[in-house]
Structures are given as C-alpha cells and as structure tokens.
Amino acid sequence: MFLVVAIFVIVYYYLKSGKIPYVRRVAGLDAIEEAVGRSAEMGKPVMSTIGIDGFNYWTLAALTILEHVSRDCVKKGVRILVPTGGGDSSYIVRPVAEEIVKDAYMLEGNPEDYRPEDLPFLSGQQYAYTGGVVGILQRAKPGACIMVGGHHSEAMNIAETAVLVGAITITSGTYVSNVAVLACASDYILIGEESPAAGAYLSKDPAQRASIRCQDIYKGISIALIILGTFVRTLGSSFFIQLLSS
Amino acid sequence: MTDPVELSIMVVGCFLSMCMFSTLYGKSSPLYSLAEESYIGFATGLTIVMNLMYIYNTGVVGIQGGDWILIFGFILGIATLLRINPKYSYFSRLPIAITLGAQLGLSLRTQIYTGFIDQIKASIVPLFEGSAKTLIYNWTTFICVIFMLSFFLYTIEIKGPIKLSAKIGEYLMYASFGAIFAQTFMGRLGLFVGSIQNFTVPPWKKPILIACMAIVLVALIALDKLNLLEKLTPEE
Amino acid sequence: MSLLKSFNSYDSRIVYLLLFLIVTIPLLSPMGLPISVSPSTVTYYEVIDALGPDDLVLVVLDTEFSGYMEIQSGIIASMRVMVERDAKMCVAVSHPEATGIPELVFAAIKNTVDEHGYTYGEDYVILGYVFPNEAAVASAAQDWQGVIHNDFYGQSTEGTFLDQIHDWSDWTLISDYTTGIQSGSLINHFGLRGTPMIVNCIGVMISTQMPYLSTGIYQALLQSMRGGAELEYLTGHPGPGMTAMDAFTLGHYMLIVLIIIGNIGYFGTKENSRRNVE
Amino acid sequence: MKSRELSLIAMFLSFLVVFVPYFIDVPALDTFSTKLITITAITVSFTLLLAIHSQFKRGFDFVRRKPRGWIFKVYMMITIVLMLLFALGGLETGPYHWAMYAIITPLSSVNYGILAFYLASTCARAFKARNTKSILLILTGFIMLLYQAPFTGAFFDLGPIGIYLANTFGLAAGRMFLISVTVGAMVFGIRILLGQEPGVLGIRSEE
C-alpha cells in the first residue's frame, strides 16, 4: 500500500514539475511514423490492433497508441483497419476504439471519410478473431501492421502473416515467451514497459514525458533492493525478504 | 460401423481444418475464406449464447435471489446500448468509465505483488550457500536480472559503466530469447501435433484426413494455375 | 553456388510442407522412438500420488479446446491417478470450449472409474463454465457457497462433498490445466492465499509459469505434452502423449536442420558476394 | 466539459472500490467491490450487442455494395443465425453440439497449431549468425531444441544444461519483463486516473 501511495506522489510530482529529462529513443515507437509514411507512399492501408482483452493496461496502452496512429493515418490519407473482438471482455473496448478513430477524422476535418466497416468485429473467440485478422491481412496487404495491446498466443499468427505480406511490423508482447518469438519475427518490438509508456513518449507534452522518469526510479529501487537484499541474505539475514513480505 | 453424426463431425471438421491450413500457401484463397467465415460466424453465435447465459445465470438469477444491486449491471448495460443512436451516445460514457476503472483496478491490484514485490523477493538469493549447482543457478540468475534491468533505463544517458552493463544486459536478453524461442516452439509443435492427432485417433479417421489433405492441396494448386485464387476471394 | 543461394533464401512454403509431412507421417504410422523422464514430472507425480480419500481437489480445465489437444495426455494421466487414489474431484471450466472436455476425459478413463467405483455426486462433481473471468474466480475463493449452486447438468450441488467447501482454505489442492486464461486469477485468489497448486501448462506458458514454481506458489509444474507423455510413462498407461513423441522429436530435429542449412547458405552467399566485389 | 469530469470521477471511484479493499481488510468493502466487478461483467456482456449490431451492419453493407465475394458475408451472417437457432435445441446435444465439435473446436486447434509453422519460418529467417546478438540467440536456441527432442534424452543427457538455461536465463528474462511491465503499468495507470489520457475513455483531448 505504501508503495502505491509513494508511486502516486512521485508521478504527480513529475507531471506537475514537467522537467524534461533525457529520454532514450525507443526505436519501435519512432518507427510508427515511418511505417505510416511508407504505407501512404505505397497507397496501402495500415492495420492497427488493440488486443483481445478488456480494459487492462495493455489495452489502454494500445488505445493511446491507436489515438496516435489513427491521427497520423488520417493526416496522411491512409486507410486504417482496426479489427476488434477476440475475448470475453473485449466488447466494451470496441466503442472506445470506434470513438478514437472517428475523432481522428473529426479533428482533421473530414468526418465523412470515416468508415465504420474498417473496424470489423470478429467474434468473441480468440482464434476466430485471429483467423479473421489473418484473412484481412492477406486480402488487404497493408503496408504496416502495428500490433499492440493485450495479445496472447495469436500474436505470432498476426506478426508472421504481416511479415509475409510485406508489411512493416511493430509489435509488443504481453508475456515473455511472446516477446522472445516476436523479437525474432517482427521489424520492431516494444518490450516491457515501452508499451504502457507509449502514451507519455508519443505525447509532445514535456510533463507527460517526465513521468517516464518515475519508472526508472522504481527500477532503480528494485535493482538496489535486489543487490542489497542479496548482499544481506548472503551475510545470513533475511531482513529484506521479511520487509517485502510485510 | 461408425456413428453417422460422428462421421459428419470428422469430415466437416477435417475439411475445414485443411482449408484453414491453406493460409500457409501464402495467397488469399476462397478455401481459406470459407473456413474463416464459418469460424467467425459460428463463434459469434457461440459468443452470443454464452453471454446471454451469463446475463441470465448471474444477473437474472442473482436478482431473483435477492441481489438487488445487480440491477445496476442491467441499467449500465442498457445505457451503453444507447450508443446505437448517436443522439444518446452521451449516456454510454458513464458505464465505460465505471467499467474501465473497475477493470484497471482489478488488473493492477495484484500486479504489484506478483509482478514487483514477489519477483524482487524471489531474486534475493544467497550467493555463497548450498551445492555447487545451486550456486551456479543463483549467480547466473542474479547477474542476468541486474544487467537486463539496467538495459531498461530510459531517462539516464547511456555512457560509462551503465553503457557496458546495458550492453551486457542486451546480450543476455538475446541469449535468453533463444532458449525461450525453443521452448515456445516445443509448445506450438505440441498444439499442432494435438490438432492432427484429433484426426488420427481412432484409426478409422486416417483415410479421411489423407483425402481432405489431398483435395485441398490439389484444389489450391489448380485454382492458382487457373488464376482463379484472386478472382474468387472476397475484396477487403 | 546456386544451391547455397537457395539455402539462404527459399520459399517459406517448402518449410511449411516439410514440417507438415514430418509431423503427420509419424502420427499416421508411429515409430516408437525411446524417451526419458524429467525431474519436474517426477515431482508432479509425487504430489498427486500422495492424495487420499479425504482430499478435496479443485480441477480447473483452464483451456480452449486447442490447448486441450496439447495437454490431454497430462489431464487424462493425472486425473486417472486422482481417481485411483479416491480423492474427491470437483471439475470447473474457465472457457466455453472446455465444457465438453470433462466428458471426454471421463470416457478415456472409464475403466479406472468403474474399477474403483468412483461415482458422480459422491466422488466427483462437474461444474461447467463457472470461471468466465477473474471476478468469478475471486468470488469463488471468498464465498464458494454464495456463488456455486448448481452443477453442469443443472442439479443442485447440495448434499455432495462440496458442502464442506466455504472458501479457498478448504481445498487440499488446486490442479490447474492451463493455457493461461485464468491461471493468473487462480494464483491471485487461491495460490497467494496459500492453497496448494499444481499446474499442467502448454509449452508456450512454461517460461511464464516458471517464476511461480520457483517462488513456491506452485508445488509442481507439468510441462506441455512432453510432461504428459512422461507422466503416462510413470503411471504405466500409455496414451496419446507417448504416440506423439515421435512427431515431437522429428519436428525439433527439422528446426535444427533448418538453422544449420540457413547458416550455411548465409555464410556461403556472403563469401560469394564478397568475392564478386573483389 | 461536464461529462468529461463526471466520467473521470466515476472511473476514479470505481477504481478505488476495486483496488483498495485488496490492501485493507474491511469485509463490507470487499463485498461491495466483488459486487461492482459482477456489475461491470454484466455491463460488458450487454455491450456485445453493440458489436453484433455493427457486425450485421457491415455485412448488410457488403450485400448492398456487392463487391467481389460478398456472398461470403451472407454466409457468415447465416451461420450466426444458424448457431443461435441450434442453441434453442439445447446445448448438450443436437446441432449445437455438432457445430461445437465439427467447426469451432477443430478450427480453434488448427489456428493454434499453425503457429508451429510460423515459428519454423521465423526461425529459418532470423536464426542466422549476423552479429553477436544473433549468435547468442542461435546458440541457446540450438541447445534447447536438442534438449527438448525427447529422443535426444535417450542418448545424451542434455537435461542439466537445458534445465539450466530455462531456469536461469529464461527465468531472469521473465522476471525482468514482469518488473518492467509492472512499473510501466503502475505509472500508466496513475496517469489515466489523473485524467492525462482522456482518449481511453473515448473523450477527445481538446474537449
């Protein structure tokens, strides 16, 4: 509980202070613009998926990325395909995704170009959804496939098909075995926190980017705890383990 | 003799499965579309049935059992449905916000234990105790975790010792990816073997499997040679 | 040199066709290559072997049908052991596709069930799709009697051994067969509170599940179809797992050959192009 | 303006109701949070109808425009209706049971199994010794593959090294990943709660 309150305070502090620390380039996120640009040149659509889960942080992160991608696509006149469905909790995410894409068209001043049929619902079953996405990939041959969000085992079907149809693939894996295979299959991969931090990273607002600092602070704490804990444990005391268990 | 129902299940299932495999041919085909649309259609039907049952079993039965508060589920649910008419789409925001808050809370509340505290706790191991094997295991894991984590620092400029440690972290990460890749392959191979085994056990199914394989392969190549693959697949 | 070039860049469809044949042929006519048993399978066997007639086991079929095809050997073999030890079994399901699985499993171990006089209602209960999401798992862990009233066939569970269950602490063991759907929820609401858990997972989930084994939340982890085949071997009832092992071996060897060929091709063409430049 | 704040407050409150009881032991709050989760689960089930509505709208749109292959969409809509009709005849037997076992289960396992093929082609493409990173990747991958083939175990015992790789490198990567994700998720969650990402609620940032 203490940890939660502390992290809350630190994030709030950094959001308010808005200091711009150095932020390392994340290749996968930088590549989004390039991928959309290339699709525009080739006159091909872009596929952007948001996963098959309900509102967990993977899906929410995907929605922030979708916001960015759809805005970019509309600006460059690229058709954007957002397949939805696939899971028991995914239905509630669909209206939000619709809203995001619709808003992108609205903000660019051409709401009449919005095509609701480009957000197909492919049932609530994981592999029916996958079959559908693979089919769309093969038929529409997009120039880029940005697969983020709560994807599970089906991630490889989507990523490898996207590679085979010649799309630039930007992916993120929700668990480590998925990350390992996606790292081999796709052009760019968002590992670990790169996906949840995408919203802050892509935002132009320095205050948002400053929040990335907090993540490093907590990773620093965890490294310190592991090293200190191991040191003390080696000396024979289990103080840190008890501290963490309390 | 085999039960005709079971036979029909086998024939239809096997044929559609082989159609699904046709995606590996690398070109869109009507065979794949057939399998895909069948699957999406029936799966959507299944989803509807399952959700109606959930609403009935949890919601209606719950309210009948005196759990009046569950009626809010119905109210919020109906409010989201108002989106169909753009004039009232305003109403759907509240249920979305409530669901988002609850699901986010649910996904985060345990994460801090399982993903953070437990992992740190498990990483704290004695480095000079136990058998030689334990020592090797403990040292390797300890070093790997520290170096890999240092690769994930974003707001500190990478230079000096951190650069070195991040580089080692990256190398260690790729080494572990190799091992994990192989493990994943084992799993996927298991699933593929399982899905084929579905069509080979019991043995009377074997000829049907071979026939379906042959039919789909021949059809695919013939359609490709006649340039019909593209013409028969739906537009996207 | 054209052979080397083709080693470096060949049609992926050839890979697909080869893999398809290499797996399908040994399944059509098994060869019976020998196998070995890993220590994690032995631990798993020891846990289920120690069960007795007073033990209450919550069996969770936490899988889609496709996942079942991979781990069916482990499911069948371990549930057979539970029946043999006369442990009380409550089968719950966390995916709509899995509702048909209990029927298949009990058909596969029918002989053992008959032999031990294992009867429905008294020794085992099948609940059906009761764990659709984390919320359902959470409420079952806190207030079992408030959530679970009927079995899969719509009959009341009152009067069965489930009357003894009130919350998470009343289970002797949770045996989860998982593709990862609700395993996290089971850990959060049962495992972390202290209910012993054993898990049989699909191969892809092994690395994800491994940390829970090393932190002691799981007592044992049976790995994928291979673990299932080894368990079949230990229990002395050969089944689908053991026949699949040939295909398994050949599939792995094929990948190894692919890596070797790919690298020969890669270095061959690299040398070649360097020479051309010179 | 008002709706935006209302949404944010509602989100924040429902987050607290679910999140806090996990850390503080108050039975009444606990019951309430469980009820709220059930309520949202029912709400989510209702939203399925929205998705179905748009699926049919999309289908009918295809029928109206009649592009190439529109007949497949008609077929898809018919199968949805068929499945619903089947369900009326009972879930355990009859046509519903048939559709489950003839169509849904085999196709789901095939789609899952196809992954093995994708992994094989990925492996053939990515496992080439281009640089140090890929050499390491190949090395560990190669050893693991050899170890995992059940036949190998009958001749050489690669067990110790295979288990070593999985339980140290594999484990460490898993741990690193979990820590990284948790940290990212926490910060991200707080940013959402503070209303820094209104887009995820379907609210435009400029509103």
Side-chain angles (χ1 to χ4, degrees):
Chain A
M1 192 71 207
F2 167 74
L3 265 174
V4 180
V5 176
I7 202 166
F8 193 91
V9 172
I10 299 176
V11 175
Y12 191 75
Y13 167 77
Y14 271 101
L15 279 173
K16 278 280 159 233
S17 74
K19 271 186 274 179
I20 321 171
Y22 160 86
V23 178
R24 195 205 315 175
R25 314 296 309 162
V26 177
L29 292 173
D30 290 340
I32 291 180
E33 213 154 305
E34 176 208 325
V36 175
R38 199 187 76 139
S39 307
E41 275 165 28
M42 298 165 73
K44 285 179 166 184
V46 165
M47 177 181 277
S48 181
T49 67
I50 51 169
I52 61 169
D53 287 344
F55 281 125
N56 61 14
Y57 46 89
W58 292 112
T59 313
L60 294 169
L63 289 173
T64 61
I65 295 174
L66 176 66
E67 219 178 334
H68 183 83
V69 174
S70 57
R71 205 74 72 78
D72 208 23
C73 283
V74 176
K75 220 179 278 168
K76 291 176 179 151
V78 179
R79 181 180 166 204
I80 178 166
L81 293 161
V82 187
T84 56
D88 273 339
S89 317
S90 65
Y91 324 125
I92 189 100
V93 184
R94 215 192 112 77
V96 178
E98 260 178 348
E99 201 82 358
I100 287 175
V101 177
K102 208 196 276 172
D103 277 352
Y105 281 95
M106 215 91 106
L107 287 169
E108 294 302 323
N110 37 0
E112 65 286 349
D113 286 351
Y114 167 65
R115 297 168 41 142
E117 65 268 27
D118 281 349
L119 284 92
F121 173 70
L122 303 169
S123 97
Q125 297 282 306
Q126 187 184 7
Y127 274 93
Y129 165 87
T130 317
V133 174
V134 167
I136 293 174
L137 277 170
Q138 279 187 341
R139 292 189 293 267
K141 296 200 171 51
C145 175
I146 298 155
M147 188 202 73
V148 286
H151 280 293
H152 302 266
S153 46
E154 80 279 9
M156 256 318 267
N157 291 40
I158 300 172
E160 186 66 12
T161 313
V163 171
L164 293 179
V165 301
I168 295 185
T169 45
I170 301 169
T171 58
S172 85
T174 49
Y175 48 89
V176 68
S177 46
N178 230 344
V179 172
V181 292
L182 287 172
C184 299
S186 43
D187 298 315
Y188 298 97
I189 179 157
L190 305 173
I191 300 177
E193 69 202 75
E194 289 175 358
S195 176
Y201 183 87
L202 293 170
S203 134
K204 302 277 182 295
D205 182 5
Q208 300 296 327
R209 304 190 70 155
S211 71
I212 299 177
R213 197 31 163 316
C214 315
Q215 290 166 207
D216 276 3
I217 293 178
Y218 265 79
K219 259 169 298 172
I221 293 178
S222 56
I223 294 179
L225 274 176
I226 293 175
I227 294 181
L228 265 177
T230 307
F231 185 68
V232 175
R233 179 80 178 77
T234 306
L235 292 178
S237 148
S238 53
F239 169 73
F240 279 97
I241 294 187
Q242 275 158 10
L243 181 80
L244 286 168
S245 307
S246 60
Chain B
M1 203 40 220
T2 338
D3 173 22
V5 175
E6 208 176 324
L7 189 71
S8 68
I9 286 179
M10 168 64 194
V11 172
V12 174
C14 190
F15 178 70
L16 286 178
S17 299
M18 294 306 131
C19 288
M20 206 95 206
F21 273 121
S22 73
T23 177
L24 296 172
Y25 193 66
K27 291 180 180 170
S28 50
S29 70
L31 294 171
Y32 182 77
S33 297
L34 174 72
E36 175 194 342
E37 300 294 2
S38 313
Y39 192 11
I40 293 181
F42 280 105
T44 308
L46 174 75
T47 317
I48 300 175
V49 173
M50 284 298 155
N51 278 277
L52 288 180
M53 272 173 62
Y54 182 76
I55 292 177
Y56 179 78
N57 283 339
T58 314
V60 177
V61 173
I63 291 172
Q64 280 169 351
D67 227 349
W68 285 103
I69 199 164
L70 293 183
I71 207 148
F72 282 104
F74 288 81
I75 296 173
L76 292 177
I78 290 164
T80 48
L81 295 187
L82 291 174
R83 281 182 72 83
I84 291 177
N85 186 340
K87 238 178 26 196
Y88 302 110
S89 71
Y90 173 84
F91 282 106
S92 73
R93 281 199 181 152
L94 191 66
I96 288 178
I98 292 177
T99 316
L100 194 152
Q103 293 190 347
L104 183 67
L106 200 61
S107 76
L108 282 183
R109 68 180 194 185
T110 49
Q111 185 80 20
I112 194 156
Y113 284 113
T114 52
F116 193 72
I117 296 179
D118 282 352
Q119 298 309 321
I120 294 178
K121 233 161 66 182
S123 302
I124 299 179
V125 284
L127 294 176
F128 296 104
E129 261 174 54
S131 63
K133 190 181 148 201
T134 323
L135 284 184
I136 297 174
Y137 272 54
N138 286 352
W139 271 101
T140 323
T141 316
F142 175 72
I143 290 170
C144 286
V145 170
I146 298 289
F147 280 125
M148 284 185 197
L149 271 176
S150 74
F151 175 70
F152 280 92
L153 294 173
Y154 288 94
T155 59
I156 298 167
E157 224 163 319
I158 304 268
K159 55 185 174 200
I162 296 180
K163 186 172 180 183
L164 182 71
S165 126
K167 196 89 202 156
I168 298 175
E170 203 185 354
Y171 283 154
L172 288 173
M173 208 161 72
Y174 274 88
S176 57
F177 281 179
I180 296 172
F181 188 98
Q183 278 184 317
T184 312
F185 179 72
M186 171 167 93
R188 296 314 181 201
L189 191 65
L191 289 166
F192 173 54
V193 170
S195 70
I196 295 293
Q197 227 171 22
N198 197 8
F199 304 127
T200 57
V201 182
W204 61 264
K205 290 179 172 178
K206 287 179 185 177
I208 303 176
L209 170 70
I210 295 170
C212 287
M213 262 157 66
I215 291 171
V216 170
L217 194 66
V218 169
L220 210 57
I221 294 171
L223 286 174
D224 196 15
K225 287 277 176 281
L226 296 169
N227 284 326
L228 281 174
L229 272 187
E230 192 83 337
K231 276 186 203 139
L232 290 175
T233 28
E235 232 171 284
E236 196 55 57
Chain C
M1 274 308 128
S2 65
L3 184 67
L4 280 180
K5 205 179 272 173
S6 65
F7 274 3
N8 191 27
S9 55
Y10 41 81
D11 198 332
S12 52
R13 279 180 281 178
I14 297 174
V15 178
Y16 296 153
L17 188 67
L18 267 177
L19 186 61
F20 200 97
L21 293 178
I22 257 177
V23 170
T24 318
I25 292 169
L27 286 178
L28 288 170
S29 61
M31 298 180 286
L33 298 172
I35 64 165
S36 58
V37 179
S38 59
S40 61
T41 308
V42 177
T43 323
Y44 190 91
Y45 180 67
E46 281 164 357
V47 175
I48 50 173
D49 192 38
L51 290 171
D54 297 330
D55 292 331
L56 307 172
V57 185
L58 177 61
V59 172
V60 185
L61 292 169
D62 189 16
T63 169
E64 302 86 2
F65 195 80
S66 47
Y68 170 67
M69 291 318 297
E70 182 186 335
I71 52 176
Q72 59 168 334
S73 44
I75 297 177
I76 293 172
S78 57
M79 281 171 72
R80 189 198 305 273
V81 175
M82 291 174 200
V83 172
E84 281 170 354
R85 302 289 172 273
D86 277 326
K88 304 277 176 286
M89 221 192 306
C90 170
V91 186
V93 163
S94 70
H95 194 278
E97 281 178 11
T99 47
I101 295 177
E103 201 183 307
L104 296 174
V105 176
F106 280 100
I109 55 173
K110 194 170 178 302
N111 285 341
T112 317
V113 170
D114 292 345
E115 205 177 294
H116 286 259
Y118 205 70
T119 41
Y120 189 82
E122 199 175 305
D123 297 307
Y124 71 104
V125 172
I126 297 172
L127 288 182
Y129 184 45
V130 288
F131 290 154
N133 45 40
E134 179 157 4
V137 178
S139 27
Q142 277 158 9
D143 177 19
W144 181 271
Q145 298 296 344
V147 192
I148 309 288
H149 307 290
N150 294 330
D151 68 0
F152 182 55
Y153 308 104
Q155 279 148 9
S156 170
T157 55
E158 222 168 290
T160 65
F161 63 92
L162 288 178
D163 289 347
Q164 303 170 40
I165 306 294
H166 299 285
D167 60 10
W168 58 270
S169 60
D170 295 318
W171 295 104
T172 319
L173 187 68
I174 308 245
S175 180
D176 186 21
Y177 301 95
T178 188
T179 55
I181 311 169
Q182 295 299 346
S183 60
S185 326
L186 288 168
I187 292 171
N188 292 336
H189 304 288
F190 288 93
L192 278 179
R193 288 185 164 127
T195 319
M197 277 180 84
I198 53 170
V199 175
N200 178 7
C201 70
I202 57 167
V204 194
M205 296 304 295
I206 294 174
S207 45
T208 317
Q209 304 285 339
M210 205 58 107
Y212 301 115
L213 181 69
S214 69
T215 46
I217 296 170
Y218 293 167
Q219 299 208 322
L221 183 67
L222 191 66
Q223 302 177 3
S224 172
M225 182 183 266
R226 185 173 171 190
E230 292 169 2
L231 194 65
E232 281 176 1
Y233 180 78
L234 282 179
T235 55
H237 291 278
M242 284 174 74
T243 44
M245 284 302 106
D246 294 340
F248 229 68
T249 299
L250 292 180
H252 275 94
Y253 286 165
M254 184 192 140
L255 215 61
I256 292 173
V257 172
L258 274 182
I259 296 177
I260 297 173
I261 291 181
N263 278 292
I264 295 175
Y266 176 70
F267 281 106
T269 43
K270 208 165 85 172
E271 283 296 308
N272 207 21
S273 55
R274 200 178 293 158
R275 224 171 287 153
N276 285 347
V277 171
E278 280 163 13
Chain D
M1 200 58 205
K2 225 173 175 184
S3 110
R4 178 197 162 121
E5 267 142 27
L6 189 70
S7 288
L8 282 175
I9 292 169
M11 171 183 70
F12 199 80
L13 283 180
S14 76
F15 175 84
L16 286 184
V17 168
V18 176
F19 192 76
V20 175
Y22 195 74
F23 298 92
I24 303 165
D25 196 21
V26 182
L29 255 179
D30 219 30
T31 325
F32 186 58
S33 93
T34 314
K35 287 278 178 282
L36 181 71
I37 296 167
T38 317
I39 288 172
T40 55
I42 295 174
T43 313
V44 171
S45 285
F46 268 98
T47 33
L48 170 67
L49 295 174
L50 275 180
I52 303 297
H53 168 79
S54 89
Q55 199 176 5
F56 271 95
K57 223 166 95 181
R58 183 170 184 258
F60 283 123
D61 189 58
F62 266 87
V63 176
R64 212 184 46 244
R65 287 189 293 125
K66 294 205 173 42
R68 197 179 65 218
W70 59 277
I71 202 81
F72 280 105
K73 296 289 176 234
V74 177
Y75 170 70
M76 194 253 316
M77 290 193 285
I78 292 173
T79 54
I80 299 180
V81 177
L82 260 185
M83 189 66 172
L84 291 178
L85 292 178
F86 286 175
L88 293 179
L91 303 187
E92 308 327 325
T93 47
Y96 182 85
H97 192 261
W98 183 88
M100 269 305 269
Y101 285 95
I103 292 160
I104 293 178
T105 54
L107 288 183
S108 127
S109 62
V110 161
N111 248 322
Y112 221 158
I114 284 180
L115 275 167
F117 293 86
Y118 290 136
L119 282 173
S121 64
T122 303
C123 176
R125 195 176 62 238
F127 279 50
K128 285 183 183 155
R130 291 194 188 86
N131 49 33
T132 326
K133 277 190 277 187
S134 42
I135 291 173
L136 285 166
L137 188 77
I138 294 171
L139 202 72
T140 51
F142 199 86
I143 297 171
M144 269 318 257
L145 282 173
L146 261 183
Y147 153 66
Q148 280 168 187
F151 182 64
T152 319
F155 293 96
F156 340 82
D157 195 11
L158 277 175
I161 183 157
I163 296 170
Y164 169 76
L165 283 176
N167 286 2
T168 56
F169 285 84
L171 187 80
R175 215 166 257 169
M176 171 282 294
F177 182 76
L178 269 175
I179 293 177
S180 165
V181 166
T182 308
V183 169
M186 285 288 165
V187 174
F188 181 55
I190 291 166
R191 285 184 38 243
I192 289 176
L193 293 176
L194 290 173
Q196 307 288 335
E197 294 283 1
V200 299
L201 282 164
I203 303 172
R204 239 175 297 160
S205 347
E206 280 77 8
E207 208 175 297

